[in-house]
Amino acid sequence: MIEIQNCTKKYGELVAVNNLSLKINESAIFGLLGPNGAGKSTTIKMMVGLLKPDSGSIKMGGYDISKDPIGAKKILAYIPEKSYIFDKLTAWEYLTFISGLYKLDENVFKNNAKEYLNIFGLYKWKDELVGNFSHGMKQKLLLTSSFMRKPKVIILDEPHNGLDPKGVRLLKDILFKLRSEGVTILLSTHIIAIAEEICDKIAIINKGTIAAQGSNNDLKDHAKSDDKTLEDIFLQLTSGYES
């Protein structure tokens, strides 16, 4: 469903992403982990079409994000680490705006928007200005705006920001449900315990390249240890730290 082939991105002399390749199958939750400056954000921005790779290609469901960005973005939803939302709109007005951008059927929009607003406990606030929302409520609204579209691919960059424990649990349950419905999910997070718990496979990126990838067991084999946690493996691969 997601194919990254030999992608490189440079900023002047700095090589942010170096000949990176990844393949993520349909119906999977895939974790992308790495320290600050490892190339995660650049990789994600290339995946969603905010940056163009200097070389290589990226496909979403067969659509090349550089050659057919509209086709790719129709099946893609993206929640960035730092999101911006229109404070002077009500929650319902904001969702209506997003629905219009993606040309959702009106009945589909209304049903799906109501469903996710109820799941996240926001329905009673649907006519409230977004500017009056807490950070966590804004994050839930952004998640609603993505999930209501029923995308085939979802890319989440630190989606747990601002969520309380109940919100984190709700998000986990939703991601499991979406995976069972055939959705491909890429999750980038610094909360290694969450990645270890919910991701089918994980790639650890460091200095613009993939240091290791696979299931939790694959990563333990890579580290040549059955008793290391994902945190131990992450630190070993990205900083040389040995527990």
Side-chain angles (χ1 to χ4, degrees), residues 85-98 109 117 122-133 137-138 141 145:
I85 196 166
F86 302 111
D87 285 348
K88 298 303 181 183
L89 296 180
T90 67
W92 192 258
E93 286 171 341
Y94 174 73
L95 296 177
T96 302
F97 169 69
I98 297 299
F109 156 61
L117 286 173
L122 292 180
Y123 189 74
K124 65 181 178 180
W125 306 104
K126 69 181 180 69
D127 297 317
E128 185 72 31
L129 288 176
V130 173
N132 295 330
F133 281 14
M137 291 170 72
K138 289 181 179 179
L141 182 60
S145 71

Side-chain angles (χ1 to χ4, degrees), residues 70-170:
I70 299 300
K73 290 174 184 179
K74 281 182 179 179
I75 67 168
L76 170 68
Y78 169 49
I79 298 290
E81 180 178 6
K82 293 182 180 179
S83 301
Y84 297 93
I85 196 166
F86 302 111
D87 285 348
K88 298 303 181 183
L89 296 180
T90 67
W92 192 258
E93 286 171 341
Y94 174 73
L95 296 177
T96 302
F97 169 69
I98 297 299
S99 173
L101 286 179
Y102 289 92
K103 300 180 180 179
L104 297 185
D105 175 84
E106 186 175 357
N107 288 329
V108 170
F109 156 61
K110 288 180 177 178
N111 290 335
N112 292 351
K114 183 177 180 180
E115 175 188 356
Y116 281 105
L117 286 173
N118 276 319
I119 288 172
F120 284 119
L122 292 180
Y123 189 74
K124 65 181 178 180
W125 306 104
K126 69 181 180 69
D127 297 317
E128 185 72 31
L129 288 176
V130 173
N132 295 330
F133 281 14
S134 68
H135 179 45
M137 291 170 72
K138 289 181 179 179
Q139 187 71 358
K140 291 174 182 178
L141 182 60
L142 287 164
L143 291 166
T144 295
S145 71
S146 292
F147 296 154
M148 74 177 189
R149 292 175 38 224
K150 302 292 184 182
K152 294 181 180 179
V153 178
I154 301 174
I155 296 178
L156 303 168
D157 192 359
E158 301 293 347
H160 304 94
N161 284 348
L163 298 183
D164 59 18
K166 180 180 178 182
V168 172
R169 179 58 184 268
L170 278 172

